Amino acid sequence: MSMNPTVLFVALTPYQILISYVIASCIKHEKICDLVSSCAYDQANEIAKKLSVFKEVSTISKRRTPVKGGKLRSFLGEKDLIKKAKQIFEHYTPNTVVVFKDGSPLEATFIKCAHSKNANVTLIEEGLAIYSKDIIDTESISYKSKNIIKKLLGYPPTFPGQGNNPAVQIISAFHDEMLPADKKINRTVVPFPTVSPPTNILDSFVNDLSLSASCKPGPDGIKNNNIIYLGQPLSELGIVTAEKEYNFLKKLFYLINRQGFKLTVKPHPWDHRKKYSMFRVEVYEGNHIPAEAIVHILKPDFILTPYSSAGHTSSAWFNARVMFLYPLLDINLDPEISKLLLSEKGTNTIAASWNDIEEFLKMKSISQKRDTSIDSLSFYEYSKKIT
């Protein structure tokens, strides 16, 4: 039996799978890395099985046989996830568990199991919820009674919001200085790298998934795609009406076409692709492929999105110009969240009007060449610190 320390990654989204792959690739010669993939769509779980850096990949499907009654179905589904999570943890018995959320029953189960075995628990930022000042009244009768009932039903301790589970020992975020003070108590805070992962690791990820080589820039250096639109499930989640989103997309795609740019739409995993089929635009086939991997392949001049955090990541990693369009949809974000979307490099901006988009597209694109020696050093050191 190998004496190397073991690290278990728990991923629930394509982005989390990508970050797990990058970190595992940086420590693979020193630690054994395994992955649990429990994405909402089985297609994403299937791509996880193709990733060669992990010794083992376990998947937990969230598809269930329909059960009458919404609450009963939800309860049975969660109980099933909790049971499988316990079994998987016992199979791997890792020294470190890495999660990207800490509030759901699934992740909370892995955290509880790790805590009971004195294993380390690391929480890595995904999205912007980790910066919220979650108000949790732990002394309220309602809070205490719910926890008592959940405990009797076999649930692990869960905490609202993100970054509030006290069993988490290491927390990693892009903007550690903006984390609420109570989320730093009794924890080691490790800043997430603001440079790209090593290029060779991203290339290996793309190769493991056999992503279309036809999307890559040709030998003459001419890009196949100038703009990527990162979609979001706005009408699907009721953030805006379907009519409002349609009118927004219609105007945006017309403006891009009029400017002479070629556009590729990268749908969010929860996007309904049919909303893009009404327009004559190229839609990337795999909703379940991480947006950052597509940006790595296509190397666009510009990225447009309502407020996808993948836009922020792509700016930090690939030096891409990104414009966030949420004001044009009358979506109001917390000022602190809006600030987080802007890049320290000055490559990100927020559109206040449709004219802003036209002016934005007149700007020259920035070279996406990177100093891979710096990138590699940063991510290798980071990966060791958090595992």
Side-chain angles (χ1 to χ4, degrees):
M1 181 177 178
S2 173
M3 297 301 292
N4 284 3
T6 59
V7 181
L8 180 64
F9 297 87
V10 182
L12 275 68
T13 70
Y15 172 77
Q16 294 175 16
I17 293 174
L18 172 60
I19 297 300
S20 299
Y21 182 93
V22 170
I23 296 170
S25 297
C26 290
I27 59 173
K28 64 182 180 180
H29 297 301
E30 302 163 12
K31 300 179 181 181
I32 297 170
C33 297
D34 300 300
L35 173 69
V36 177
S37 178
S38 185
C39 298
Y41 297 95
D42 285 340
Q43 281 182 310
N45 293 331
E46 288 303 312
I47 72 170
K49 295 178 182 178
K50 300 178 181 179
L51 301 176
S52 58
V53 72
F54 300 107
K55 182 180 179 183
E56 288 187 44
V57 175
S58 297
T59 61
I60 302 178
S61 175
K62 291 183 177 175
R63 295 181 180 273
R64 285 188 53 82
T65 304
V67 179
K68 291 183 179 180
K71 290 185 178 180
L72 176 60
R73 179 178 182 177
S74 176
F75 170 71
L76 292 176
E78 286 185 342
K79 286 288 288 182
D80 190 41
L81 291 177
I82 292 169
K83 179 181 177 181
K84 289 179 179 177
K86 289 179 179 178
Q87 293 172 342
I88 288 173
F89 182 89
E90 290 302 321
H91 171 69
Y92 290 115
T93 58
N95 300 102
T96 300
V97 171
V98 177
V99 296
F100 297 83
K101 306 282 185 183
D102 62 346
S104 79
L106 177 66
E107 288 131 325
T109 300
F110 281 104
I111 293 173
K112 180 183 177 182
C113 290
H115 185 65
S116 69
K117 299 292 186 180
N118 294 318
N120 299 319
V121 179
T122 295
L123 172 66
I124 299 176
E125 168 191 342
E126 188 201 8
L128 304 174
I130 200 168
Y131 300 103
S132 298
K133 296 177 181 178
D134 305 312
I135 300 175
I136 307 171
D137 186 1
T138 57
E139 297 302 316
S140 70
I141 295 175
S142 173
Y143 181 86
K144 288 182 176 180
S145 60
K146 285 181 180 178
N147 274 354
I148 291 172
I149 293 171
K150 285 185 175 182
K151 186 175 182 179
L152 292 172
L153 294 174
Y155 274 66
T158 56
F159 303 84
Q162 187 177 343
N164 298 306
N165 193 317
V168 170
Q169 297 153 308
I170 298 175
I171 192 167
S172 176
F174 272 104
H175 300 275
D176 57 302
E177 76 284 357
M178 297 185 71
L179 285 171
D182 58 343
K183 295 186 179 182
K184 299 180 181 181
I185 297 174
N186 297 324
R187 286 173 171 162
T188 300
V189 179
V190 181
F192 193 90
T194 56
V195 294
S196 169
T199 302
N200 65 306
I201 291 179
L202 291 176
D203 286 341
S204 295
F205 182 85
V206 168
N207 291 334
D208 277 359
L209 300 186
S210 302
L211 297 181
S212 176
S214 63
C215 293
K216 296 182 180 180
D220 56 0
I222 298 176
K223 302 184 185 75
N224 292 327
N225 301 79
N226 300 112
I227 295 177
I228 289 180
Y229 175 76
L230 298 178
Q232 291 186 266
L234 302 178
S235 55
E236 291 86 345
L237 297 180
I239 297 171
V240 300
T241 64
E243 180 182 9
K244 188 163 192 170
E245 186 171 20
Y246 169 81
N247 290 332
F248 165 78
L249 292 174
K250 181 180 180 181
K251 188 170 184 176
L252 177 65
F253 295 161
Y254 172 76
L255 185 153
I256 292 171
N257 183 61
R258 190 179 67 188
Q259 293 282 331
F261 286 92
K262 184 176 180 182
L263 170 70
T264 295
V265 174
K266 168 59 179 75
H268 186 276
W270 296 349
D271 259 341
H272 292 165
R273 296 174 62 88
K274 64 181 180 181
K275 72 183 180 187
Y276 301 114
S277 64
M278 295 179 279
F279 307 101
R280 297 182 63 183
V281 295
E282 181 177 333
V283 182
Y284 197 85
E285 290 185 8
N287 286 40
H288 54 285
I289 302 297
E292 291 81 1
I294 306 306
V295 174
H296 174 65
I297 295 171
L298 300 182
K299 296 178 173 57
D301 293 311
F302 302 100
I303 297 173
L304 301 175
T305 182
Y307 54 90
S308 171
S309 58
H312 177 271
T313 309
S314 296
S315 173
W317 285 7
F318 308 116
N319 213 24
R321 289 196 181 277
V322 182
M323 175 169 270
F324 297 98
L325 310 176
Y326 63 88
L328 305 181
L329 286 151
D330 300 317
I331 296 174
N332 296 315
L333 296 184
D334 182 284
E336 288 297 312
I337 299 299
S338 298
K339 183 179 177 181
L340 289 170
L341 292 174
L342 298 177
S343 166
E344 295 87 348
K345 300 176 183 178
T347 55
N348 294 1
T349 187
I350 298 172
S353 70
W354 288 97
N355 287 336
D356 286 350
I357 300 178
E358 296 194 49
E359 292 301 314
F360 177 71
L361 297 181
K362 290 177 183 178
M363 301 170 70
K364 291 183 179 180
S365 63
I366 300 175
S367 171
Q368 293 190 358
K369 291 183 179 180
R370 294 159 288 170
D371 186 338
T372 55
S373 63
I374 295 177
D375 293 349
S376 300
L377 181 63
S378 175
F379 256 94
Y380 280 116
E381 289 184 345
Y382 167 78
S383 300
K384 291 177 183 178
K385 284 182 179 180
I386 66 166
T387 58

